Amino acid sequence: MRPLRHRWTALASTLAIAALAGCSADTGGDDGSGSAVADSTAPVATELEGVENFYGEYGDYTTVMTAIQNGEVTAEELEYPFVAQQEHVDTLASWDGVNPVYDLKPPAGGNHLAVWQTCTGSVYPGPIVDGNAVHSMEHGAVWLTYDPELVQQGDIDALAEVISARDYSLMSPYPGQGVAVSLQSWGNRFQTDDPADPMIDEYLDTYILNERFNPEAMATCSGGVSTTAE
């Protein structure tokens, strides 16, 4: 991984747009998928009850990266280093061809694959590759996963309607996650056993394209991987 001080130089002026590793910016609008683009100018709360925040004392991506740049902490010293790790592992000379494996399942950040999973209100019928979905979250997307053993088909269909109406979101089954529904964005996560939990909408409203938490908010969500892992 490149030294984080060097990464900060590339990140500091572009926290709200894509700038890393060829990620292209998307200025919004309908991409033709039928999903509504989130309004990034709307005020959003940054704290919701029940949401796990993995930034520790720093609270958000902007603050933790500033602390790293100022020499107050290194990524390795964080309780959850993945919030500051953004390498495209499959572009490194040392890559062994194995997709990244994450301690947190589903993951909520970390080094990932160079191509994102298409996240234009995209509903996938099967599991997707974690490393592609993590890249989507880096772009400002929220990833909704569900355990197919714990959610009835009617609830899956209802969740799909919620996601398909929102740009910068994606949904897929995640067998074995152990909770009915999990929503993750870069550095944050909310889990619930109720597929109709009103917090699902609140989480989407709050964390999609939230510039405090997303390293490359407003980078494109279209044109990525659109296949499942199976």
Side-chain angles (χ1 to χ4, degrees), residues 29-45:
D30 193 324
D31 64 0
S33 67
S35 57
V37 175
D39 180 3
S40 63
T41 63
V44 290

Side-chain angles (χ1 to χ4, degrees), residues 46-69:
T46 54
E47 299 293 338
L48 289 178
E49 184 177 354
V51 172
E52 298 173 85
N53 179 302
F54 298 106
Y55 293 96
E57 64 183 287
Y58 299 98
D60 58 48
Y61 176 82
T62 304
T63 304
V64 76
M65 293 304 291
T66 299
I68 290 171
Q69 167 65 11

Side-chain angles (χ1 to χ4, degrees), residues 187-210:
N188 292 284
R189 181 176 70 174
F190 174 73
Q191 297 187 319
T192 178
D193 285 317
D194 179 8
D197 193 325
M199 272 288 292
I200 293 173
D201 274 309
E202 290 188 46
Y203 189 97
L204 292 163
D205 288 341
T206 299
Y207 291 98
I208 287 176
L209 295 177
N210 189 319

Side-chain angles (χ1 to χ4, degrees), residues 136-175:
S136 302
M137 291 187 284
E138 184 185 42
H139 285 196
V142 169
W143 180 24
L144 185 152
T145 56
Y146 62 92
D147 191 326
E149 295 296 321
L150 302 176
V151 182
Q152 299 297 317
Q153 186 60 50
D155 291 322
I156 294 172
D157 294 341
L159 289 168
E161 288 186 14
V162 170
I163 294 300
S164 62
R166 295 175 182 266
D167 205 356
Y168 287 88
S169 70
L170 67 164
M171 169 178 163
S172 65
Y174 205 99

Side-chain angles (χ1 to χ4, degrees), residues 75-114:
E76 291 72 24
E77 292 171 333
L78 298 173
E79 182 178 2
Y80 298 101
F82 65 78
V83 297
Q85 295 172 336
Q86 296 170 246
E87 292 288 358
H88 295 171
V89 298
D90 49 342
T91 66
L92 302 176
S94 59
W95 189 49
D96 58 4
V98 177
N99 288 335
V101 176
Y102 301 92
D103 292 334
L104 195 68
K105 293 183 179 298
N111 296 329
H112 49 269
L113 298 175

